[in-house]
Amino acid sequence: AAGVIQSPRHLIKEKRETATLKCYPIPRHDTVYWYQQGPGQDPQFLISFYEKMQSDKGSIPDRFSAQQFSDYHSELNMSSLELGDSALYFCASLRFGVGAATYEQYFGPGTRLTVT
Amino acid sequence: AQSVAQPEDQVNVAEGNPLTVKCTYSVSGNPYLFWYVQYPNRGLQFLLKYITGDNLVKGSYGFEAEFNKSQTSFHLKKPSALVSDSALYFCAVPNDYKLSFGAGTTVTVRA
């Protein structure tokens, strides 16, 4: 079965550079979530999109922006990178529905961003 | 807001012994609860979920979880642990559709 695809899997950037992370949800999934997992921490919600519109926003810095495109893939753009942005960034997708199926998110393998 | 807590940072067991990873929850209304596993340098993999109905939920890789309303717990269990079960385990609960995770429990199964 098709899974969530994230690219790149690894990314090394210097401080003050920009980075773009991409997420391709499972086919027919209309909702995408972005999470950030720092070293030794649990994943923290950043932002989500439903049908190409931002649906929720968490602890996402103003230096970050994201969008969902017409083909439902999503991109997380990160500017003025800081050392503290080094983390594993997960994308998750689901097909919005009713009941528990609405909450079951499928996670991609993550992009490991290292800022030096 | 809905939340979960994992009281143990680490759990160490010998291969073949029972494995329990603890999770307690604080939710309003009917809880939806999830367990995810994260292997080193890998993404989060769904293990199982509780919606309603049977308090014992069976999931992937031989794992099961017991929902206990009176103790507000949703402990993950495996009757006989394998070395390959060594990983980081997260309990999670939806908050307005996004997931809130517990702090995670590192499970080490020794041969």
Side-chain angles (χ1 to χ4, degrees):
Chain A
V4 176
I5 298 171
Q6 290 188 248
S7 68
R9 293 292 307 278
H10 301 273
L11 190 58
I12 300 175
K13 291 285 186 178
E14 295 187 355
K15 283 196 309 184
R16 293 179 288 277
E17 285 191 320
T18 61
T20 297
L21 278 54
K22 297 184 179 181
C23 168
Y24 298 87
I26 292 172
R28 294 185 297 280
H29 281 197
D30 50 22
T31 308
V32 168
Y33 297 81
W34 286 97
Y35 293 86
Q36 177 192 56
Q37 185 181 26
Q41 298 180 2
D42 58 292
Q44 295 291 317
F45 170 72
L46 291 178
I47 196 167
S48 63
F49 294 88
Y50 167 65
E51 282 292 345
K52 292 151 281 184
M53 298 288 290
Q54 181 181 310
S55 54
D56 200 354
K57 194 173 182 180
S59 51
I60 183 170
D62 292 340
R63 299 176 289 107
F64 294 7
S65 64
Q67 57 182 322
Q68 186 179 32
F69 294 85
S70 58
D71 63 351
Y72 295 100
H73 93 273
S74 178
E75 295 185 3
L76 177 66
N77 298 294
M78 311 160 71
S79 62
S80 303
L81 287 169
E82 302 174 355
L83 295 178
D85 296 329
S86 295
L88 192 55
Y89 291 83
F90 287 112
C91 168
S93 76
L94 62 79
R95 184 173 183 177
F96 196 85
V98 177
T102 293
Y103 303 110
E104 187 175 330
Q105 298 180 19
Y106 295 81
F107 283 80
T111 294
R112 185 168 295 282
L113 172 66
T114 302
V115 181
T116 62
Chain B
Q2 327 278 48
S3 65
V4 290
Q6 295 178 242
E8 299 170 320
D9 291 336
Q10 289 195 350
V11 170
N12 299 304
V13 297
E15 189 173 35
N17 282 1
L19 169 63
T20 298
V21 187
K22 296 180 180 178
C23 173
T24 59
Y25 66 88
S26 175
V27 304
S28 55
N30 295 322
Y32 293 147
L33 297 163
F34 298 84
W35 275 103
Y36 285 85
V37 60
Q38 184 177 24
Y39 296 101
N41 300 314
R42 300 281 295 277
L44 291 162
Q45 296 182 33
F46 171 79
L47 276 180
L48 51 80
K49 67 183 177 188
Y50 173 80
I51 309 169
T52 186
D54 290 342
N55 291 336
L56 187 63
V57 179
K58 294 192 181 296
S60 306
Y61 312 120
F63 283 93
E64 58 190 26
E66 186 174 5
F67 174 76
N68 188 316
K69 189 172 183 178
S70 62
Q71 297 185 3
T72 62
S73 67
F74 188 55
H75 300 335
L76 182 69
K77 300 181 179 184
K78 187 170 185 179
S80 179
L82 301 173
V83 172
S84 57
D85 294 327
S86 297
L88 182 57
Y89 291 80
F90 290 102
C91 183
V93 65
N95 257 307
D96 295 328
Y97 305 108
K98 60 186 180 286
L99 290 176
S100 295
F101 293 86
T105 300
T106 299
V107 171
T108 302
V109 182
R110 60 186 185 276

